[in-house]
Amino acid sequence: MSASRPTVLLVEDEPAQREVLAYNLEAGGLNVLRAGDGEEALLLVAECAPDLILLDWMLPNVSGIEVCRQLKTRSDTKAVPIIMLSARSEEVDMVRGLETGADDYMTKPYSVAELMARVRAQLRRSRPAAAGGRLEFQDIVLDGETHRVTRGGTEVKLGPTEFRLLAAFIEKPGRVFSREQLLDRVWGRDIHVDSRTVDVHIGRLRKALGQGGRDDVLRTVRGAGYALG
Ligand code: CA
């Protein structure tokens, strides 16, 4: 596993289908959040900022297409890739799904192998560090495959937690992460860590990146959290 595990929100109202899919996603090294309807999905997106959403079309209360439309019109969620899952096979429905902003579309019954391939393709775009990519911000370079970080060509020694923190930031330069979002992303939802721990590791990351009197690139946003640049 490189960087932190990407989180997928799975929105499916059929419990059996949901569990089969969740099993495969988890076996593929992903964190899975589950929602059984559209309202729950919208709440979880706001709370947990997932890296990708698998969205069933036919859902009780708020339909999948409406969830997709809402998320793709909000500035804070429109970049999150959405793969629509549908029992409908008519081409007109697929076109409608994509017009609503979905990034990909699969018709049930789908092959799990093909779905996983499409999930990975979308994650390479939204979570390049987790997918083993190379990311740059100003003179900082993070290599998701070798786990090496350099600044101005000089190697920066980071602990695993600081590496995952930097990976989260460098994937979304300028984005403000709350302490809770960093806890979810870097430590994982199942681990209980005090939010002050985040501050300690941010301090270490700052110190490591600032070696040799270089500029501080991490910004503290009062009352909100931290951002890169
Ligand atoms: Ca359904």
Side-chain angles (χ1 to χ4, degrees), residues 11-14 17 56-60 108:
V11 192
E12 168 64 74
D13 59 319
E14 288 293 328
Q17 286 186 32
D56 184 27
W57 179 303
M58 299 294 278
L59 292 168
K108 297 176 188 178

Coordinates of all heavy atoms in Angstrom, one line a residue, residues 11-14 17 56-60 108, ligand 1:
V11 N -22.9 3.5 -2.8 CA -24.3 3.8 -2.5 C -25.2 2.8 -3.2 O -25.3 2.8 -4.5 CB -24.6 5.2 -3.0 CG1 -26.0 5.7 -2.4 CG2 -23.6 6.2 -2.6
E12 N -25.8 1.9 -2.5 CA -26.6 0.8 -3.1 C -27.6 0.4 -2.0 O -27.3 0.2 -0.9 CB -25.6 -0.4 -3.4 CG -26.2 -1.7 -3.8 CD -27.1 -1.6 -5.0 OE1 -26.5 -1.6 -6.1 OE2 -28.3 -1.6 -4.9
D13 N -28.9 0.3 -2.5 CA -29.9 0.0 -1.5 C -30.2 -1.5 -1.3 O -30.9 -1.9 -0.4 CB -31.2 0.7 -1.9 CG -31.7 0.4 -3.3 OD1 -30.9 0.2 -4.2 OD2 -33.0 0.2 -3.4
E14 N -29.6 -2.3 -2.2 CA -29.8 -3.8 -2.1 C -28.7 -4.3 -1.2 O -27.5 -4.3 -1.7 CB -29.7 -4.4 -3.5 CG -30.9 -4.2 -4.4 CD -32.2 -4.8 -3.9 OE1 -32.0 -5.9 -3.2 OE2 -33.3 -4.3 -4.0
Q17 N -26.3 -7.0 -2.8 CA -25.4 -6.4 -3.8 C -24.3 -5.5 -3.2 O -23.2 -5.5 -3.6 CB -26.2 -5.6 -4.8 CG -27.0 -6.4 -5.8 CD -27.7 -5.5 -6.8 OE1 -27.2 -4.5 -7.2 NE2 -28.9 -5.9 -7.3
D56 N -25.6 3.8 -7.2 CA -26.7 3.1 -7.9 C -27.7 4.1 -8.4 O -28.0 5.1 -7.7 CB -27.3 2.1 -6.8 CG -28.4 1.3 -7.4 OD1 -28.4 1.0 -8.7 OD2 -29.3 0.9 -6.7
W57 N -28.3 3.8 -9.5 CA -29.3 4.8 -10.1 C -30.6 4.8 -9.4 O -31.1 5.8 -9.0 CB -29.5 4.4 -11.6 CG -30.4 5.2 -12.4 CD1 -31.7 5.4 -12.1 CD2 -30.2 5.9 -13.6 NE1 -32.3 6.2 -13.1 CE2 -31.4 6.5 -14.0 CE3 -29.0 6.0 -14.4 CZ2 -31.4 7.3 -15.2 CZ3 -29.1 6.8 -15.6 CH2 -30.3 7.4 -15.9
M58 N -31.1 3.6 -9.2 CA -32.4 3.4 -8.5 C -32.2 3.3 -7.0 O -31.9 2.3 -6.5 CB -33.1 2.2 -9.0 CG -33.4 2.2 -10.5 SD -34.5 3.5 -11.0 CE -36.1 2.6 -10.7
L59 N -32.6 4.4 -6.3 CA -32.4 4.5 -4.9 C -33.7 5.0 -4.3 O -34.4 5.8 -4.9 CB -31.3 5.4 -4.5 CG -29.9 5.0 -4.8 CD1 -28.9 6.2 -4.6 CD2 -29.4 3.8 -4.0
P60 N -34.1 4.6 -3.1 CA -35.3 5.2 -2.4 C -35.0 6.7 -2.0 O -33.8 7.1 -1.9 CB -35.5 4.4 -1.2 CG -34.2 3.7 -0.9 CD -33.4 3.6 -2.2
K108 N -25.8 -3.1 -14.9 CA -25.9 -4.4 -14.2 C -26.5 -5.4 -15.1 O -27.4 -5.1 -15.9 CB -26.8 -4.3 -12.9 CG -26.3 -3.3 -11.9 CD -27.3 -3.2 -10.8 CE -26.9 -2.1 -9.8 NZ -27.9 -2.0 -8.7
Ligands
CA1 CA -31.2 0.0 -6.4

